[in-house]
Amino acid sequence: MLDSILYRKKRAGILAVAAALVLGGCGHGGPDAEMPPQVRSVTVNPLQQVQTVKIGLGDVKKREIYEGIISPYVEELCFPEDGIFLEYRVSLGDTVRRGDTLAVTDVSAYREQAENLQEQIDELTAKYIYEIATRDNSLKICELELEETYKLIELTEYMQDNYTQLCINAGNLVSRMDRLELEKKHLTESYELELPYLQEQLLDCKEKLRSNILKAPFDGTVTELRPAVSGERVNDETPMAVLADTSRYLAVGDYVLRRDAEKAERVYVFINGEEYEAEYIPMDQKVYSALIAKEMTPYSSYEIYPAEPLEFGHMACIVIQQESRQQVLVAPGLAVQQEGARRYCYRKGPQGREKVYLETGLYDGLSYEILSGLQEGDEVYID
């Protein structure tokens, strides 16, 4: 396993060692016409020292390996809203509990705004109640007058004396009552539109009054506090504190695109000979953009869950396993050579050294998956 992980860095060393290995072996090639078209024997220098290896079954794993470091889970914290900084309530290195206040801002402007909004709501409600009550009273008066008018109409002979005028008065009263009902409807509609708007503003303002303090989102240790003085204006995008959760372990290394990590067959971290399954943590887009804007290098984080505590700051290998093949025919990469778009190797045959063209599959940087050209038990040369 360790050889696989270190292969990319030590391939030159492996080639040098392979070239220095001394195992006897030489042969004389026969006529090419006597061999299958994909195989031909070749003549080699009898003084050349070579090594052969038998072809067998094995696993091929295509992986990208990145250097990383073990770190606690850390989070940069910002105020929920813009404000005027007042003070920190903690010091660097303090251990805090979830919900503890880390820093506060001046919220007097929000308090004044909340008071003004509450006054507007009270005035709007009082005016609405008064206007509705006024029209209800007018409606009751109209109802009494209309009732009295109907009685007079019943007592008056048809088309005599003031009969016509009484009918006109009754119609006017009905029209006035309709207008009063319509006014009540309009007043209610306007009130029901304006009141929720003011209430929503007030609720938002009160939320800012309660939340525009910096709170710890989890138990942890304060590892950084941004320098700030009382009276300084701060915004909701500037990190003011960094909190570390030492009960969670991250491997932090070179930046890996989210799509590459999510489509990987397996993601794990290799530390001191042990493999730990890892969960890729996507970088927040705002953090990524801020790093790029500052010409800083972005990074990727992976959460791991060790059974025993790990040492923070320890180096690790982050492995993105893209795909793998289990128990397939494999040949060492040092035995396979390239000829244009074709690959080939030299096989040890009955008549000596034979050139065999191969069809290969997955290559993991160390071994090739062999699809055709060789069989299990064949011996191939590593030059």
Side-chain angles (χ1 to χ4, degrees):
M1 175 61 72
L2 185 56
D3 288 341
S4 298
I5 290 178
L6 298 178
Y7 175 78
R8 292 170 61 192
K9 290 188 175 181
K10 296 188 176 180
R11 189 171 190 273
I14 294 174
L15 289 170
V17 172
L21 291 173
V22 180
L23 288 177
C26 60
H28 300 281
D32 291 345
E34 298 177 4
M35 304 299 292
Q38 75 275 19
V39 177
R40 63 186 179 87
S41 61
V42 294
T43 302
V44 294
N45 186 344
L47 298 179
Q48 184 180 6
Q49 297 176 331
V50 295
Q51 177 190 7
T52 63
V53 62
K54 280 191 176 183
I55 298 299
L57 300 178
D59 297 341
V60 183
K61 299 177 181 179
K62 187 176 181 180
R63 297 168 291 189
E64 292 293 333
I65 301 172
Y66 304 91
E67 291 183 350
I69 189 169
I70 301 303
S71 165
Y73 175 83
V74 295
E75 191 170 316
E76 293 183 332
L77 307 177
C78 306
F79 281 107
E81 303 288 342
D82 296 354
I84 304 300
F85 181 80
L86 286 182
E87 63 177 353
Y88 284 114
R89 298 284 178 84
V90 293
S91 300
L92 195 64
D94 283 356
T95 299
V96 297
R97 304 284 293 180
R98 179 180 180 180
D100 285 354
T101 298
L102 307 182
V104 294
T105 57
D106 181 3
V107 293
S108 56
Y110 293 124
R111 187 174 294 106
E112 183 178 348
Q113 183 181 354
E115 291 172 355
N116 290 336
L117 286 167
Q118 187 60 60
E119 287 179 5
Q120 292 181 51
I121 291 172
D122 293 342
E123 289 176 4
L124 179 68
T125 302
K127 183 179 180 181
Y128 170 72
I129 292 172
Y130 171 78
E131 295 291 344
I132 293 295
T134 300
R135 282 157 180 79
D136 282 338
N137 288 334
S138 296
L139 279 168
K140 288 179 180 178
I141 293 171
C142 286
E143 288 174 357
L144 292 172
E145 290 180 355
L146 184 61
E147 183 179 352
E148 188 65 25
T149 302
Y150 281 150
K151 288 179 180 179
L152 290 173
I153 290 174
E154 290 176 357
L155 296 174
T156 304
E157 292 185 13
Y158 180 66
M159 299 299 291
Q160 288 187 4
D161 297 332
N162 62 340
Y163 182 86
T164 301
Q165 186 60 50
L166 289 172
C167 291
I168 293 173
N169 291 344
N172 289 338
L173 287 169
V174 171
S175 297
R176 186 183 178 193
M177 291 174 67
D178 289 342
R179 286 197 304 272
L180 289 169
E181 291 289 356
L182 187 59
E183 288 176 5
K184 283 181 61 180
K185 181 181 178 182
H186 288 164
L187 284 168
T188 301
E189 289 175 348
S190 177
Y191 176 73
E192 290 179 348
L193 281 174
E194 192 171 356
L195 180 64
Y197 173 72
L198 292 174
Q199 288 176 329
E200 184 177 353
Q201 284 190 310
L202 179 59
L203 185 63
D204 181 61
C205 195
K206 287 182 176 179
E207 183 62 29
K208 290 175 180 177
L209 280 170
R210 290 192 297 268
S211 67
N212 205 32
I213 57 178
L214 198 59
K215 291 186 176 183
F218 51 81
D219 298 352
T221 302
V222 179
T223 60
E224 187 177 339
L225 293 174
R226 176 181 174 272
V229 296
S230 181
E232 176 185 351
R233 185 166 186 81
V234 293
N235 60 54
D236 61 354
E237 295 183 353
T238 302
M240 299 300 294
V242 177
L243 192 63
D245 183 353
T246 55
S247 67
R248 296 173 63 183
Y249 293 89
L250 301 183
V252 181
D254 297 331
Y255 184 71
V256 175
L257 291 174
R258 179 173 183 169
R259 64 172 180 267
D260 292 338
E262 290 182 346
K263 73 179 182 181
E265 182 180 86
R266 184 187 175 206
V267 179
Y268 62 96
V269 175
F270 189 81
I271 312 168
N272 290 336
E274 295 289 337
E275 293 180 0
Y276 300 91
E277 297 299 323
E279 181 180 349
Y280 176 80
I281 302 176
M283 175 175 280
D284 185 272
Q285 191 59 43
K286 291 173 66 175
V287 176
Y288 177 84
S289 300
L291 290 174
I292 296 299
K294 295 176 183 178
E295 298 184 350
M296 298 174 66
T297 304
Y299 55 89
S300 289
S301 302
Y302 308 80
E303 186 156 9
I304 55 180
Y305 305 92
E308 301 293 335
L310 297 177
E311 180 182 347
F312 293 123
H314 198 285
M315 297 301 295
C317 289
I318 301 166
V319 184
I320 310 294
Q321 183 171 302
Q322 296 159 336
E323 54 181 320
S324 64
R325 306 281 190 275
Q326 280 75 44
Q327 291 303 292
V328 295
L329 199 64
V330 296
L334 296 178
V336 179
Q337 302 184 43
Q338 193 84 21
E339 183 179 271
R342 306 177 71 186
R343 292 190 177 92
Y344 67 92
C345 71
Y346 291 109
R347 179 176 62 190
K348 185 176 181 181
Q351 299 185 27
R353 190 180 179 96
E354 301 171 345
K355 187 176 184 179
V356 182
Y357 287 99
L358 308 171
E359 182 183 356
T360 60
L362 194 63
Y363 177 59
D364 63 6
L366 189 63
S367 300
Y368 281 96
E369 176 190 10
I370 303 300
L371 302 177
S372 66
L374 295 171
Q375 295 182 353
E376 187 176 359
D378 284 349
E379 285 190 67
V380 296
Y381 290 91
I382 297 178
D383 295 328

